[in-house]
Amino acid sequence: MEELFNLPGFKEVFKDPNSEEFIVNMGPQHPSTHGALRLQLRLDGENIIEVVPHLGYIHRGLEKQAESQNYLQYIHLSDRQDYLTAIQNNLGVCLALEKGMQIGVPERGEYIRVMMAELGRIASHLVFYGCFGGDLGGQTPLIYGFKEREMIHDIFDEQTGSRLTTNFFRPGGSRYDVTDTFIPRVKDFLEKLKPAMEDYERLLSTNLVVLERTQGIGVLSKKDALAFGCSGPVARASGVNYDVRKNDPYGIYDTFDFQVPIRTEGDCYARYQVRIAEIHESMKILEQCISRFPDGPWRSKEKPVRLPAGSYYAASETAKGLYATYVVATSGDKPYRIHTRGPSFANLSALNTMVKGHKVADLVAVMATLDPVIPEIDR
């Protein structure tokens, strides 16, 4: 109980004996908080006065573990941070290692990377779609979203040997070349996803219950989004026009024709709209990849994974936002230090600002549109 009294703003609850304010814990069970996250709510009836997130329930010290593992072994730790953007995290780490090793990626390898990363982006947004609908009280979206996502995981399983934590990319390319069935399977997936997206949007985008629960709820201004360091769909729904793939392109992203969806409302519905639009843009990128998928080597000539002494930084755009890897190398095949900048941590920091004055049920909707994955926050 002593912990409560030391929290800013919480002492006032007990100073006035006539106060009707009270404190409730939401979490750390999984439903509604999207993982082992504990939210301490200061309430006046159903109205939220303050929210204090408590982190660390599944902290595993991944960055500290990296110091006793070689550079290649750290790649597998990155896909266990945000398991919904696992293959994109792998890519982010490889980009930093490639800077240190001063090696490039062959054209076919770059196309493989883009296609796998965009499939991963769609898969993550489909989980968002399902959980968003589920958190608002409907189970049908949950079944819908996971249906097409399974097709992506079938493709991942065939190419990487894993459905979720992929560990597929390597400095200079990928561990293996893709199979002859890869392009046909991606084509088939896109043909099935297009009509499915019409069903998805028909179910939620004009649903009166969804509109009432999300429009004008959890508004995050552009100024606050920048101040909190938000990124990805959370920031772009508030009018922040930033996507690493466009603003600081890596790989071959600057050769593709795609748009960065932007909204200015900054509410829950805008964050939903941005993610739906991003699925369509990822489909456009995949179609361009299919039309010009090249032959040739998929990985550059291997070098010993030893980085010259120095520091190396690389940023990439995952489905959640800016994912950055900072590596400090001294000598040998192990890093002196590795730090990850994950998007969910910064996005969660804006939660209290977004939900003040709203109801407890609104908090669930706001959390759904932040789309956090807790292991990436705790690391």
Side-chain angles (χ1 to χ4, degrees), residues 74 92 96 310-314 324-328 335 337-341:
Y74 182 69
S311 59
Y312 308 98
Y313 170 88
T325 303
Y326 180 67
V327 182
V328 178
R337 185 78 170 90
I338 284 185
H339 175 64
T340 298
R341 190 278 183 199

Side-chain angles (χ1 to χ4, degrees), residues 214-232:
T214 60
Q215 289 184 330
I217 302 297
V219 174
L220 179 66
S221 69
K222 181 178 181 178
K223 179 181 177 181
D224 286 339
L226 292 169
F228 284 111
C230 297
S231 60

Side-chain angles (χ1 to χ4, degrees), residues 76-107:
H76 93 92
L77 291 180
S78 70
D79 55 55
R80 284 155 175 80
Q81 294 168 3
D82 183 341
Y83 42 80
L84 298 181
T85 63
I87 203 154
Q88 299 165 353
N89 295 357
N90 293 166
L91 175 56
V93 173
C94 287
L95 291 172
L97 298 182
E98 285 160 3
K99 283 188 177 181
M101 297 168 66
Q102 296 184 336
I103 61 173
V105 180
E107 186 182 29

